[in-house]
Amino acid sequence: MKRKISVTINGIPHADEVEPRLLLIHYLREVAGLTGPHIGCETSICGACTVMLDGKAVKSCTMFAVQADGRSLLTIEGLAQNGALDPLQEAFWNEHALQCGYCTPGMIMTAKQLLADNPNPTEQEIRQGLEGNLCRCTGYQHIVNAVKSAAAKAGA
Amino acid sequence: MATIITRPETKFGKRVRRQEDPRLITGTATYVDDLKMPGMHHACIVRSPHGAAKIRNISTATAAAIPGVAAIFTGADIKNLGAVPCAASLPGLRVPHHHLLAQDRVYFVGHPVAVVVATDRYLARDAAEAIEVDYEPLPAVTDPEKAIAPGAPAVHPEWPDNVAFNFHQEGGDIAQAFRDADVVIKQRITSQRLIPTAMEARGVVAEWRAGEKSLTLYSSTQIPHLLRTLVAGILGMPENLLRVITPEVGGGFGSKLNVYAEEALMAFIARQINHPVKWVESRRENFAATTHGRGHVDYFELAAKRDGTMLGLKLKLIQDLGAYHQLLTPVIPTLSVLMMPGLYRFKNVSADIVGAFTNCVPTDAYRGAGRPEATHGVERMVDRLAAELKMDPAELRLKNFVQSHEFPYNTATGLAYDSGDYAKPLQKALAQVEYTKLRQEQEEARKTGKLMGIGISTYGEICAFGPSIALPAGGWESATVKIEPTGKVTVLTGASPHGQGEETTFAQIVADELGVEMNDVLVVHGDTAVVQYGIGTFGSRGTAVGGSALYCALQSLKEKLKKFGAMLLKSDNVTLVGGQCIDEKTGKSVGFGEMAVAAYHAKQLPPDTQPGLVATHFWEPPNFTFPFGAHIVVTDVDRDTGEVAIRRYVCVDDIGKIINPLIVDGQVHGGVAQGIGQALYEEAVYDDAGQLVTGELTDYALPKAHHMPYIESSHTETPSPVNPLGVKGVGEAGTIGCSPAVVNSVVDALAPLGVKHIDMPLTPEKIWKLIQQGAHA
């Protein structure tokens, strides 16, 4: 039995009928057509599917789409404003914080949450803050540098 | 005509940020799972839950009755298709027929048994659950040493000894070396099975066009052209009617340097159902059914003189192959043998490999592919010898290095090392960590019972694969450069990068050679209908071989440009500088754009010159390249918990000339992370019944951000004479150099307790037990 849900994604209202078992990540990718968030494990370990739900970073593979009914979502596609990259996107680019790019959308969303909670994190706090997101390419060092640099710019 | 000559700043050697990143940081890149097509169906694969079993019966009726299920395929349906290919040819190699789907027997957990195709991803999974397979479980064997012992269950009943091949190689006089030795060190050293874990698992979309009888296969692969040739062979279709497209690839690390059953299956199924079909691997499938890496049990024997001169090295290598040979499975341990002498003047070596079948998923290339295993063994053995002789491990290494005046250096395993100065990175790293001071600190720490370790590894590697004689499908790489009529430059590279950043490094090379802006250069890869035949990206070859092909294509294009320049300037003496052609006598010049237009408008042509500005070059490397370096790791081991903390990680890697230091840093960091993963955390564990115990990311410990130390990375630069760019390759250096440095450091920390060796991964439990034993010894 399908259920009707209404969500706002990246500022745009969406209304769809979905199966109650549909995962939020599959709703975003296959129904809403937003393929920026990725699927890396479906067990909430890797964080590639991280999006913002009412301003909080969540792993969208461990939520049902129906649980997002009436709520507001932000995905990587909605981060740049009027063609201007978010400071974190810019920092990831400048610091070479990505290689294959698969973990990047989730990593940036988690970093966004991290800086919202703690605008001036130490290196250790950044590393701890990113522990829910796996990257197999970078060894994390450039990601840590990017978060540091975005924090420094915001504080400047 | 302008007379102002602009000489743009060269891009070679600059920290340029990547051209591929804008699409990746905005979520607008296209990976396989992002593809959507009208009428697209979804496939789900039913896999064996047993390590070994007979298939008594497969019942598909319940699944077939589910609305939306379009087709179900089992072993019988694909029986007459070709097998999953193995490109290795070793003398006497036993090659089991590797059907795309299991026939009457399964050989490992994850072995594909049936494919269900439905209109929706969820439905396909539902239907897969509804397929009933009646298995008769059989005894399994998952440990390679147990597999080759008498009485072990036979993985393939036709070969009861589980031996796929024996391989022997030697150089010098190993018997004499051991007769001359004052000291002989023997050690069993394992390099455990690892799961490559690219963040994007495998995925395939196949699209059949009935009218054209053509098939387009989208696959997350490192080798689009080889995949096309081999899948066409499996299906028995003309190669030129099969097009392979590699969209964005979310990491490979060797695990996508292969031709998998699922790739051929989806191609077959799309044709059967006459609809596009998508299969995307779940992480559980990725762990169970995508190739693993390493899987060595090595018995080393080192012969040396009392003064530290190393005379000979013997190795008995037992390779866990898994149940089948994938593309390069049996070849990988032979690379370990080639790499055995490391950076040292071992005149005498001898190696015996036993390739053992086990009821596990096949092993194959994983970052470093055979070379990390060899390096780990050699570097551990050097440390064992240093401890035995009570010599400093750095001093022992310096004493035995091949010297800088000895290049090209012929090794006892038949290689010719291209160039090197092995003491340089070690001395640089020693200075950076303040080695003497560290040793003093360690002495003090030991007095108070603290477990502090300093570990060194000085590694060499074989990179930039070819030459062709060394590779089953050729070791060259191809490049086409097209200067378009508007002066934009398009590069088609046969290498198929997937995160290594060649869209940027190649644009840097073009910018320097043609004097154009980097963002006027488009680097295209991964589409067999667009790009001339190529080999692919693996073995740190992308830039060293693919970049060299590009460089050579650019040279012929520059010659042609000069002809048009000379024609336009009406001169017979022109030079090409910064994208402009200059008349040496008059100083007059024509711009790049003017020459491009002239070449395509072709109202007038230079003598014996065709219109257009396109050049293709297939570059065959005369030799491998041999990067080298030194990694030094300082660790503190917690006596109470057995936990290892890496206090400092210093690495000095010599990878030849560096085109983009930013990208090189990233490659080193990522390589080191995978080395630390092997040294401290990761291990693919099968139980005796054949179950994959580490079947998900919840059970397999991948390093996270807070597990990683800050890596202090720097370089020495010894150009390679092998290729025109002088580069050696950096993809695997970090991984190869890392694990022995970490393990040497921890063994050094535990040395006061009498510990001489520990096998990876160095889990707190393992170390805690050693500390307990040592404390009570």
Side-chain angles (χ1 to χ4, degrees):
Chain A
M1 184 72 78
K2 289 200 171 182
R3 273 186 50 185
K4 210 170 171 180
I5 60 165
S6 304
V7 290
T8 304
I9 313 173
N10 303 334
I12 298 165
H14 289 247
D16 291 288
E17 288 202 348
V18 299
E19 275 192 60
R21 66 171 176 170
L22 185 72
L23 295 176
L24 179 57
I25 183 66
H26 287 136
Y27 171 74
L28 288 170
R29 291 178 49 84
E30 310 210 347
V31 181
L34 294 162
T35 55
H38 296 141
I39 302 169
C41 69
E42 294 183 350
T43 52
S44 81
I45 301 293
C46 84
C49 63
T50 305
V51 299
M52 293 278 185
L53 178 72
D54 290 338
K56 289 274 176 207
V58 296
K59 291 179 175 175
S60 60
C61 76
T62 29
M63 268 190 76
F64 294 114
V66 291
Q67 290 174 297
D69 186 24
R71 305 173 76 173
S72 174
L73 289 153
L74 178 70
T75 71
I76 187 76
E77 288 95 335
L79 211 50
Q81 293 295 320
N82 305 319
L85 293 176
D86 183 271
L88 264 167
Q89 288 173 311
E90 192 76 42
F92 268 61
W93 190 6
N94 290 337
E95 300 293 334
H96 184 32
L98 57 143
Q99 289 176 31
C100 82
Y102 200 76
C103 75
T104 309
M107 199 65 85
I108 289 177
M109 297 315 268
T110 299
K112 197 147 178 75
Q113 173 83 65
L114 196 164
L115 291 184
D117 294 344
N118 180 0
N120 214 347
T122 62
E123 171 162 344
Q124 206 44 42
E125 286 168 344
I126 295 171
R127 289 182 182 272
Q128 295 291 350
L130 297 175
E131 72 171 346
N133 290 65
L134 294 175
C135 169
R136 191 59 155 166
C137 293
T138 62
Y140 304 99
Q141 192 152 317
H142 282 166
I143 296 176
V144 172
N145 290 352
V147 177
K148 252 192 235 169
S149 122
K153 249 188 202 150
Chain B
M1 286 180 191
T3 50
I4 303 155
I5 300 158
T6 51
R7 290 171 197 271
E9 198 192 5
T10 56
K11 293 285 187 282
F12 198 109
K14 297 284 178 339
R15 291 179 84 84
V16 181
R17 65 181 188 170
R18 297 200 314 174
Q19 308 225 118
E20 40 274 84
D21 286 0
R23 63 180 188 264
L24 298 167
I25 53 176
T26 53
T28 49
T30 306
Y31 298 84
V32 169
D33 197 18
D34 302 339
L35 296 168
K36 243 182 173 178
M37 288 174 195
M40 188 168 79
H41 283 52
H42 296 263
C44 183
I45 295 173
V46 178
R47 296 180 184 277
S48 169
H50 299 289
K54 280 185 185 160
I55 299 174
R56 288 203 200 104
N57 183 47
I58 303 175
S59 169
T60 59
T62 315
I66 297 174
V69 172
I72 297 170
F73 299 90
T74 65
D77 301 306
I78 55 82
K79 208 172 171 175
N80 297 322
L81 296 178
V84 176
C86 169
S89 58
L90 295 173
L93 180 68
R94 290 166 170 174
V95 183
H97 192 86
H98 189 175
H99 284 286
L100 302 183
L101 290 171
Q103 298 294 303
D104 53 355
R105 211 178 154 107
V106 288
Y107 295 86
F108 63 96
V109 165
H111 196 157
V113 171
V115 189
V116 183
V117 186
T119 50
D120 168 278
R121 189 189 294 244
Y122 281 49
L123 271 179
R125 284 198 191 182
D126 288 345
E129 301 246 320
I131 287 189
E132 290 164 35
V133 186
D134 184 8
Y135 293 103
E136 179 188 331
L138 297 167
V141 62
T142 56
D143 176 294
E145 276 194 299
K146 286 182 185 164
I148 56 170
V155 176
H156 298 277
E158 60 272 41
W159 300 310
D161 60 3
N162 291 322
V163 173
F165 66 95
N166 286 288
F167 177 89
H168 176 78
Q169 184 176 347
E170 64 174 67
D173 187 342
I174 193 72
Q176 189 61 45
F178 277 79
R179 277 196 294 274
D180 292 345
D182 300 325
V183 189
V184 172
I185 308 279
K186 297 181 183 183
Q187 182 67 55
R188 178 184 186 272
I189 299 173
T190 62
S191 284
Q192 78 276 26
R193 245 184 198 262
L194 299 177
I195 306 183
T197 324
M199 291 317 299
E200 181 208 26
R202 289 181 295 139
V204 184
V205 173
E207 184 191 17
W208 168 249
R209 294 192 184 169
E212 301 162 15
K213 293 189 170 28
S214 74
L215 219 148
T216 304
L217 192 65
Y218 298 83
S219 185
S220 182
T221 182
Q222 299 173 228
I223 47 166
H225 283 94
L226 301 179
L227 181 66
R228 182 187 69 163
T229 303
L230 293 165
V231 169
I234 295 170
L235 300 183
M237 71 179 286
E239 181 178 13
N240 52 7
L241 290 174
L242 177 60
R243 174 183 185 183
V244 172
I245 299 178
T246 305
E248 212 74 60
V249 174
F253 315 114
S255 72
K256 294 173 182 173
L257 161 54
N258 229 307
V259 175
Y260 284 99
E262 293 87 350
E263 291 170 316
L265 279 169
M266 292 311 127
F268 171 72
I269 289 169
R271 200 163 63 172
Q272 293 293 307
I273 66 170
N274 202 18
H275 284 290
V277 61
K278 180 193 273 187
W279 168 74
V280 173
E281 197 178 45
S282 70
R283 183 56 63 189
R284 178 167 279 275
E285 284 181 288
N286 177 257
F287 275 23
T290 295
T291 55
H292 291 178
R294 318 282 189 256
H296 270 219
V297 180
D298 295 331
Y299 289 86
F300 278 98
E301 291 183 39
L302 170 65
K305 299 298 276 184
R306 177 82 33 212
D307 71 355
T309 307
M310 302 197 292
L311 302 173
L313 190 63
K314 258 196 255 186
L315 168 65
K316 186 185 172 194
L317 188 172
I318 300 155
Q319 171 71 49
D320 176 358
L321 300 166
Y324 287 110
H325 305 314
Q326 281 281 345
L327 194 62
L328 298 168
T329 302
V331 177
I332 306 300
T334 66
L335 292 172
S336 306
V337 171
L338 289 177
M339 200 65 259
M340 259 174 78
L343 302 184
Y344 312 107
R345 277 181 294 186
F346 276 114
K347 300 284 187 202
N348 313 291
V349 299
S350 163
D352 286 284
I353 306 175
V354 183
F357 286 123
T358 57
N359 290 109
C360 304
V361 73
T363 52
D364 205 316
Y366 167 57
R367 203 166 193 166
R371 291 153 288 155
E373 297 90 319
T375 304
H376 190 75
V378 175
E379 289 303 297
R380 284 269 47 246
M381 290 304 285
V382 172
D383 258 38
R384 284 277 279 107
L385 177 65
E388 183 72 26
L389 298 175
K390 299 193 168 42
M391 270 181 85
D392 182 273
E395 191 192 320
L396 179 62
R397 285 174 167 83
L398 287 165
K399 183 180 173 67
N400 285 281
F401 279 156
V402 172
Q403 299 297 300
S404 57
H405 63 268
E406 294 178 282
F407 293 91
Y409 180 82
N410 295 314
T411 74
T413 52
L415 298 170
Y417 287 174
D418 59 343
S419 62
D421 191 345
Y422 297 159
K424 231 166 141 182
L426 177 56
Q427 273 155 350
K428 188 171 172 183
L430 290 169
Q432 199 178 329
V433 294
E434 299 182 281
Y435 187 65
T436 315
K437 225 162 112 185
L438 267 182
R439 285 288 177 204
Q440 284 161 0
E441 187 192 334
Q442 183 185 41
E443 217 180 299
E444 292 305 312
R446 282 181 176 169
K447 283 181 196 158
T448 64
K450 281 187 186 146
L451 302 173
M452 169 189 168
I454 306 161
I456 299 173
S457 109
T458 47
Y459 71 95
E461 50 168 329
I462 311 167
C463 275
F465 292 0
S468 289
I469 194 147
L471 265 86
W476 46 268
E477 197 46 87
S478 68
T480 294
V481 185
K482 303 194 275 188
I483 298 172
E484 313 288 2
T486 53
K488 300 282 181 191
V489 181
T490 307
V491 174
L492 311 176
T493 171
S496 193
H498 41 281
Q500 296 86 351
E502 266 85 5
E503 291 178 37
T504 306
T505 38
F506 283 11
Q508 287 176 263
I509 294 169
V510 173
D512 282 356
E513 291 303 312
L514 296 181
V516 295
E517 294 295 330
M518 277 181 65
N519 57 18
D520 283 332
V521 183
L522 177 71
V523 180
V524 178
H525 52 83
D527 183 345
T528 62
V530 175
V531 179
Q532 71 289 339
Y533 208 94
I535 301 297
T537 291
F538 54 88
S540 304
R541 71 191 303 280
T543 300
V545 189
S548 296
L550 169 62
Y551 180 86
C552 292
L554 284 165
Q555 302 317 307
S556 43
L557 211 49
K558 278 162 71 177
E559 284 309 307
K560 193 167 183 184
L561 265 179
K562 269 167 75 177
K563 287 186 186 169
F564 280 98
M567 179 190 80
L568 292 172
L569 290 165
K570 298 186 176 59
S571 164
D572 54 6
N573 189 9
V574 295
T575 49
L576 197 65
V577 181
Q580 299 183 78
C581 218
I582 304 156
D583 183 330
E584 287 289 314
K585 283 183 216 146
T586 65
K588 282 187 176 173
S589 69
V590 279
F592 188 73
E594 292 168 84
M595 291 184 280
V597 168
Y600 284 95
H601 284 190
K603 306 298 177 205
Q604 186 195 355
L605 289 169
D608 304 321
T609 304
Q610 295 169 358
L613 287 170
V614 180
T616 297
H617 194 97
F618 282 61
W619 191 74
E620 169 67 25
N623 190 3
F624 301 103
T625 64
F626 298 88
F628 56 93
H631 289 211
I632 301 183
V633 177
V634 185
T635 56
D636 298 295
V637 177
D638 188 316
R639 265 186 183 272
D640 298 327
T641 65
E643 271 179 300
V644 174
I646 296 178
R647 192 200 301 180
R648 284 189 75 183
Y649 197 109
V650 171
C651 52
V652 182
D653 300 290
D654 194 318
I655 55 161
K657 301 282 280 177
I658 292 173
I659 299 175
N660 187 327
L662 187 63
I663 289 177
V664 163
D665 282 351
Q667 289 293 316
V668 171
H669 296 164
V672 167
Q674 292 185 10
I676 287 178
Q678 170 155 32
L680 298 182
Y681 305 112
E682 298 177 35
E683 181 170 29
V685 180
Y686 284 91
D687 69 14
D688 288 339
Q691 279 308 318
L692 178 59
V693 178
T694 51
E696 286 278 9
L697 275 168
T698 42
D699 305 309
Y700 185 84
L702 222 59
K704 298 178 175 185
H706 68 284
H707 293 131
M708 285 295 299
Y710 182 84
I711 300 158
E712 303 169 52
S713 166
S714 66
H715 304 276
T716 57
E717 265 194 45
T718 308
S720 173
V722 169
N723 60 61
L725 298 170
V727 301
K728 291 197 171 193
V730 66
E732 297 152 300
T735 305
I736 295 171
C738 174
S739 70
V742 175
V743 176
N744 283 346
S745 183
V746 175
V747 170
D748 185 49
L750 300 182
L753 303 176
V755 173
K756 292 179 173 173
H757 176 73
I758 320 170
D759 274 323
M760 303 181 288
L762 308 183
T763 56
E765 182 195 7
K766 215 182 266 181
I767 291 175
W768 183 82
K769 280 180 179 162
L770 284 169
I771 293 170
Q772 298 309 304
Q773 284 164 15
H776 298 111

